[in-house]
Each structure stands twice: as structure tokens, then as C-alpha cells.
């Protein structure tokens, strides 16, 4: 109700709003207080940061599920993405803050067709970006598997990879044939 009143006053005074401050990103460098997850999800079994490649770099608080990105190896996580994924395509595997904001958007996207399960124990999430000739889709693939055993158990594997594909596609369009 207050927002409507402010907008009405702005219109009455002929004030033009040029930009709206974007919402605070829902990814964090450390485990947020009260971090929740799916009722029976892996994080309820003790997801924590581990040594070397198991170190958690960011916690993502998505609308559909919470996840992490780990330092990773050549097969998953930040190291995998920075190397350009399995096919060494660095040009379509960004890791900057703008890219992470799109990962966050993809993980929170509940639009029909924006997420699905291409492989067992994984979920593909998408966020569309741009328009006209520069339409692209950010694809983020997460794993529901856990890593470590016994004393080395650290929990949820998290984000495996993230990359651009051409055009506005749903989760099924995030396949090898659509890479930039």
C-alpha cells in the first residue's frame, strides 16, 4: 500500500524514476544464520566446507532449493567452470559477480519449463537474458549427491557447472548442441 502511495506522489509531481535498486543477491560467502533447506535435503545432513576442492565458496538460497558452489575439481564446481567445463569453452562459462547473480536467478526461477532433471541426481536450472539478436540463457546444473565419507563427509556437492547457450530456452535446451 505504501509503494502505491509513493508512486502516486511521484506521478503527481512529474518525477521520473530512472532505475530501481535491484534486490539483494541471495548468495553469501559464509553460511547465513538460520540457513534452511529442503525438509529431507542433503544440507539437513550437515553440509559444511571441507579442505581444498571441497571448500565452499558461496551459499545460494534459491526459492526452490538451497545449494552451494565449491572450489571444485576438473569435474565440478568453480574450478570446472573457470576451465570452461568439459569442453574447455571458457568464453561461455563466466564466473564474475554478474554471472553469479544469474546463477542465483536461475536457482530461484520457478517458471514452467525453467528447471528439470536431465540426468539422475542432477537438476538443470535456467535464467533467460537479453533480447533481440542477443538472446541467451544461463544454464546452471546442480547435483543432489553428497561428497566425502566418514570423517571426510562434507555434504551436498552443489553446483556442478554453469554456462551460456544461444537463444531463450528451457532446461531441455541446455545440451551440448546449443553451446555458444
Amino acid at each position: 500500500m505504501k509503494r502505491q502511495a509513493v508512486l502516486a506522489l511521484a506521478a503527481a509531481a512529474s518525477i521520473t524514476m530512472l532505475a530501481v535498486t535491484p534486490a539483494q543477491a541471495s548468495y553469501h560467502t559464509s553460511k547465513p544464520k538460520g540457513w534452511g533447506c529442503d525438509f529431507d535435503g542433503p544440507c539437513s545432513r550437515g553440509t559444511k566446507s571441507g579442505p581444498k576442492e571441497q571448500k565452499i565458496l558461496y551459499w545460494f538460497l534459491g526459492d526452490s532449493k538451497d545449494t552451494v558452489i565449491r572450489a571444485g575439481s576438473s569435474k565440478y564446481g568453480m574450478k570446472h567452470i573457470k576451465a570452461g567445463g568439459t569442453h574447455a569453452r571458457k568464453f561461455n562459462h563466466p564466473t564474475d559477480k554478474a554471472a553469479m547473480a544469474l546463477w542465483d536467478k536461475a536457482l530461484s526461477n520457478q517458471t514452467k519449463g525453467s528447471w528439470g532433471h536431465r540426468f539422475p541426481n542432477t537438476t538443470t536450472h535456467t535464467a533467460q537474458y537479453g533480447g533481440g539478436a542477443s538472446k541467451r540463457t544461463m544454464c546452471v546444473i546442480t547435483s543432489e549427491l553428497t561428497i566425502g565419507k566418514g570423517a571426510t563427509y562434507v555434504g551436498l556437492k552443489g553446483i556442478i557447472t554453469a554456462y551460456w547457450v544461444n537463444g531463450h530456452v528451457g532446461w531441455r535446451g541446455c545440451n551440448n548442441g546449443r553451446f555458444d
Side-chain angles (χ1 to χ4, degrees), residues 29 37 47 49 75 88 91 129:
T29 54
C37 38
T47 294
S49 195
K75 298 190 185 286
F91 62 90
Y129 182 81

Side-chain angles (χ1 to χ4, degrees), residues 101-168:
L102 282 171
W103 300 352
D104 185 46
K105 184 178 177 182
L107 292 166
S108 296
N109 191 357
Q110 292 298 299
T111 308
K112 184 177 180 179
S114 66
W115 64 274
H117 306 284
R118 183 172 172 214
F119 301 110
N121 301 311
T122 67
T123 304
T124 302
H125 307 267
T126 62
Q128 296 177 348
Y129 182 81
S134 61
K135 289 181 184 177
R136 298 187 291 172
T137 300
M138 177 61 72
C139 300
V140 180
I141 300 177
T142 60
S143 172
E144 286 83 31
L145 297 175
T146 57
I147 54 178
K149 294 179 181 178
T152 64
Y153 180 81
V154 293
L156 182 65
K157 192 172 193 178
I159 295 175
I160 300 171
T161 191
Y163 53 89
W164 287 113
V165 295
N166 286 326
H168 285 172

Side-chain angles (χ1 to χ4, degrees), residues 43-100:
C43 54
S44 64
R45 296 192 299 263
T47 294
K48 59 187 176 186
S49 195
K52 298 181 183 175
E53 74 253 9
Q54 296 176 344
K55 180 180 181 189
I56 293 175
L57 301 178
Y58 294 99
W59 299 81
F60 288 84
L61 307 178
D63 289 345
S64 62
K65 71 164 112 179
D66 301 332
T67 194
V68 297
I69 184 156
R70 296 185 182 271
S73 67
S74 62
K75 298 190 185 286
Y76 77 97
M78 191 65 85
K79 186 174 181 180
H80 174 79
I81 298 168
K82 284 184 175 184
T86 305
H87 304 287
R89 295 179 172 136
K90 292 181 182 181
F91 62 90
N92 73 329
H93 287 72
T95 57
D96 59 359
K97 286 187 179 193
M100 286 194 291

